[in-house]
Amino acid sequence: MLIAVNAGNSHVLLGGYEEDEQVFVASIATEPKQTGDFYAYSLQQIFGLHGVEAKRIEGAVVSSVVPAMTPVLECALRLLGVNDVIEVSSGVKTRLNIRSEQPRQVGSDRVAGAVAARAKGRLPCVAVSLGTATTFTVLDETGALVGSAITAGVRLSLAALREQAAQLPAVAIDGADGGVLARNTADAMRVGAVYGAAAMVDGMIERFAEALGQTPYVVVTGGAAPLVAPHLRVPHEYDKNLVLDGLHLIWKRNRT
């Protein structure tokens, strides 16, 4: 079994793969100040919950946008007896042509997402990740990564608004199903956050289409995607496991 690990700013996502089949997905909180021992215990509990014995795990592939988490997670995996660990960084085979002035600064989660998006075979493509940050990763008709965009995510934008505007209340983002015509302040904040994010994605895809010279295939992922995706007007596919699947592919390209 392979364990794919994607450490984001808020959560660490885990995926277990046997052959080409994903057998479980789980998540735990990202806590950079914790130790390898703590995460080894957490991982052991998750594996037990899903009926996975550590001795079945042949290796792991780790992506992290939180630098301090990488050695902690690798230590945790090795404490559980997983010694073959790949960190997605420069030198790892991805078969992805990154046309960037600073290829090493492209986040490993975005690289993994781009690898999975390219494997779908529908190019050009834009992978949209709606997480702590909202990111756009643009692949051209050859599958090369030719452009990016990064902005604050839905929840981060809402938190910044609340902190800077004294009279606005704290609200939970649980969708904006009441429609775009909000009738109170809390709903107005939800509408602004959710519909605003959807409108931004629609607008960015339109601009990417102009730059590419053709309409791209759009795949959406990330923790906030279930909130925003239903309000998108552009045709798209929602793939919650895009990054984990990309990590699985990267593992195969480096170990087979």
Side-chain angles (χ1 to χ4, degrees), residues 24-101:
F24 79 85
V25 177
S27 67
I28 50 180
T30 298
E31 299 182 51
K33 293 183 180 180
Q34 288 291 356
T35 64
D37 293 327
F38 172 86
Y39 273 102
Y41 176 77
S42 299
L43 293 177
Q44 188 176 49
Q45 296 301 305
I46 288 175
F47 296 158
L49 181 65
H50 292 278
V52 175
E53 296 181 8
K55 64 183 181 181
R56 288 173 51 196
I57 302 172
E58 298 176 358
V61 54
V62 178
S63 161
S64 177
V65 298
V66 184
M69 287 296 297
T70 304
V72 171
L73 290 169
E74 292 182 0
C75 173
L77 289 162
R78 291 192 168 95
L79 285 172
L80 295 175
V82 184
N83 294 312
D84 190 0
V85 180
I86 293 176
E87 176 191 348
V88 179
S89 59
S90 60
V92 170
K93 298 176 184 177
T94 64
R95 299 181 188 169
L96 184 67
N97 180 8
I98 303 176
R99 296 178 185 170
S100 170
E101 294 179 356

Side-chain angles (χ1 to χ4, degrees), residues 51-235:
V52 175
E53 296 181 8
K55 64 183 181 181
R56 288 173 51 196
I57 302 172
E58 298 176 358
V61 54
V62 178
S63 161
S64 177
V65 298
V66 184
M69 287 296 297
T70 304
V72 171
L73 290 169
E74 292 182 0
C75 173
L77 289 162
R78 291 192 168 95
L79 285 172
L80 295 175
V82 184
N83 294 312
D84 190 0
V85 180
I86 293 176
E87 176 191 348
V88 179
S89 59
S90 60
V92 170
K93 298 176 184 177
T94 64
R95 299 181 188 169
L96 184 67
N97 180 8
I98 303 176
R99 296 178 185 170
S100 170
E101 294 179 356
Q102 299 171 315
R104 294 184 180 182
Q105 292 188 4
V106 178
S108 57
D109 59 333
R110 291 178 52 220
V111 170
V115 168
R118 180 183 176 181
K120 292 178 181 292
R122 301 178 64 179
L123 298 168
C125 172
V126 178
V128 184
S129 179
L130 295 153
T132 302
T134 295
T135 66
F136 300 82
T137 305
V138 185
L139 307 179
D140 68 9
E141 66 277 4
T142 71
L145 196 164
V146 294
S148 305
I150 304 173
T151 187
V154 176
R155 291 183 174 85
L156 185 59
S157 297
L158 189 62
L161 177 64
R162 187 176 66 248
E163 290 174 3
Q164 298 299 319
Q167 290 187 320
L168 294 180
V171 298
I173 291 291
D174 52 2
D177 297 331
V180 73
L181 299 176
R183 301 181 185 276
N184 58 66
T185 300
D187 284 345
M189 293 173 69
R190 293 188 185 95
V191 166
V194 175
Y195 280 89
M200 178 190 66
V201 173
D202 288 336
M204 289 297 290
I205 297 301
E206 180 181 348
R207 285 163 172 77
F208 288 136
E210 292 175 358
L212 292 167
Q214 55 184 309
T215 301
Y217 168 69
V218 179
V219 58
V220 181
T221 192
L227 299 175
V228 177
H231 306 291
L232 294 177
R233 292 181 174 176
V234 296

